[in-house]
């Protein structure tokens, strides 16, 4: 099939590679413009652009697809089908109507739940038992189109959003390949809008830990914001990043305030939640290096005597 592929970040790479491996003609790849990155703000191409160029596939990076000139350029590629995977832009009606076989999207959730930009992260944060991928026909609404194929996968009890992200990206490629191979026989199923929920984009503020939540909620938050925006709390008025954590082996003592250092496990700090405890395995103090929880405890000479408390209330 003659396809125009639209995608930008790492999530889209397995899907593009699978289309290439399956022998489809990729007429062009569309992705967002190069962006400055790093300390020196070097202009950096998105991952999908790099993969496309390595296969000598034409790459287009329009600022908007609402521009008639951009739409004419797209039409010149004469795609039978447009495939979208984390492109990052909404397709206008003129683009949706362009290919004779329509536009399909690789979405990282079990629709209609978790429509929007961060479905994988919110599934982890909200302690869902499973996640997955949906291949859907694109409509004018955001992630509202009819579903063609759904594949599910359990979320591991210690799995981070980053780890799940990588698995679902691969699952999406498999689902996309199957959906296109069965394209003429698949039945499009309308979504039940009553079951829909919104997965808004994460912000840096979403990484802050609220120790007044119970242990399972705190642990899910830490996993759901790893690797981005990253979990953090405060110690002695400064930000403390939490790179790795685990549920504590013991409950906090009676009357223990949330956020209090209540124990040590193999030298690692154990912090009280509203119910249960969290063990900090790897942290990074503001302006400092990444280190084990035990190294942090030794460096700060912390003792679990009830005087050490993490969070914004720390003096």
């Amino acid at each position: 099939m003659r396809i125009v592929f639209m995608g930008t970040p790492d999530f889209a790479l397995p899907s593009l590679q699978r289309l290439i491996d399956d022998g489809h003609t990729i007429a062009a790849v569309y992705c967002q413009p190069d962006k400055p990155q790093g300390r020196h703000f070097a202009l950096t191409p998105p991952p999908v652009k790099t993969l496309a160029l390595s296969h000598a596939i034409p790459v287009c990076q329009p600022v908007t697809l609402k521009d008639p000139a951009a739409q004419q350029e797209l039409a010149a590629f004469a795609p039978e089908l447009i495939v979208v995977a984390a492109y990052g832009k909404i397709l206008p009606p003129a683009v949706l109507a362009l290919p004779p076989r329509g536009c399909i999207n690789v979405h990282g959730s079990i629709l209609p739940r978790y429509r929007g930009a961060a479905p994988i992260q919110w599934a982890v944060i909200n302690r869902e038992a499973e996640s997955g991928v949906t291949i859907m026909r694109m409509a004018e609404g955001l992630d509202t189109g009819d579903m063609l194929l759904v594949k599910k996968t359990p979320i591991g009890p210690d799995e981070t959003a980053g780890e799940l992200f990588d698995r679902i990206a691969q699952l999406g490629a498999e689902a996309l390949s199957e959906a296109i191979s069965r394209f003429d026989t698949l039945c499009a199923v309308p979504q039940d809008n009553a079951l829909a929920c919104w997965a808004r984009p994460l912000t840096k503020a979403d990484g802050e830990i609220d120790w007044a939540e119970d242990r399972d909620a705190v642990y899910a938050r830490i996993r759901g914001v790893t690797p981005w925006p990253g979990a953090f709390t405060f110690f002695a008025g400064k930000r403390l990043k939490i790179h790795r954590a685990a549920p504590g082996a013991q409950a906090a003592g009676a009357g223990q305030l949330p956020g209090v250092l209540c124990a040590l496990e193999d030298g690692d700090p154990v912090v009280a939640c509203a119910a249960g405890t969290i063990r900090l395995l790897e942290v990074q103090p503001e302006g400092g290096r990444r280190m084990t929880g035990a190294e942090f405890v030794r460096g700060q000479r912390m003792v679990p005597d009830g005087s050490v408390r993490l969070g914004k209330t720390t003096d």
Side-chain angles (χ1 to χ4, degrees), residues 83-125:
V83 174
V84 178
Y87 178 38
K89 293 182 183 294
I90 295 176
L91 305 193
V95 171
L96 293 174
L98 192 154
R101 292 191 167 223
C103 303
I104 61 173
N105 182 40
V106 182
H107 183 73
S109 83
I110 305 169
L111 288 173
R113 292 189 59 78
Y114 297 108
R115 295 172 178 173
I120 296 170
Q121 295 92 326
W122 284 111
V124 176
I125 292 171

Side-chain angles (χ1 to χ4, degrees), residues 108-110 112-114 118-132 153-159 164 167-168 195-199 216 220-221 223:
S109 83
I110 305 169
R113 292 189 59 78
Y114 297 108
I120 296 170
Q121 295 92 326
W122 284 111
V124 176
I125 292 171
N126 291 337
R127 291 177 277 174
E128 299 287 356
E130 62 182 4
S131 183
T153 185
I155 300 175
D158 300 307
E159 194 167 25
L164 181 60
R167 288 204 300 114
I168 288 183
L195 299 178
C197 65
W198 177 244
D216 292 344
R221 171 72 59 166
R223 293 185 293 115

Side-chain angles (χ1 to χ4, degrees), residues 49 170 175 211 225 235 261 269 311:
K49 178 181 180 179
Q170 294 294 336
W211 299 107
V225 299
F235 174 72
L261 175 68

Side-chain angles (χ1 to χ4, degrees), residues 89-196:
K89 293 182 183 294
I90 295 176
L91 305 193
V95 171
L96 293 174
L98 192 154
R101 292 191 167 223
C103 303
I104 61 173
N105 182 40
V106 182
H107 183 73
S109 83
I110 305 169
L111 288 173
R113 292 189 59 78
Y114 297 108
R115 295 172 178 173
I120 296 170
Q121 295 92 326
W122 284 111
V124 176
I125 292 171
N126 291 337
R127 291 177 277 174
E128 299 287 356
E130 62 182 4
S131 183
V133 66
T134 303
I135 308 299
M136 53 172 283
R137 287 192 177 277
M138 297 185 70
E140 291 188 38
L142 186 59
D143 300 327
T144 58
D146 293 349
M147 301 178 293
L148 296 174
L149 186 68
V150 177
K151 286 188 177 291
K152 301 178 181 180
T153 185
I155 300 175
D158 300 307
E159 194 167 25
T160 67
E163 292 164 343
L164 181 60
F165 186 95
D166 292 341
R167 288 204 300 114
I168 288 183
Q170 294 294 336
L171 187 65
E174 296 170 15
L176 175 63
S177 178
E178 180 180 341
I180 293 179
S181 69
R182 299 170 52 199
F183 200 77
D184 294 328
T185 59
L186 287 175
C187 295
V189 178
Q191 295 186 41
D192 183 349
N193 291 327
L195 299 178

Side-chain angles (χ1 to χ4, degrees), residues 8-9 34 71 102-103 163 198 219 236 251 268 282 303:
T8 299
D34 297 359
Q71 294 175 10
C103 303
E163 292 164 343
W198 177 244
Y219 188 45
D268 293 326
E282 196 169 0
V303 292

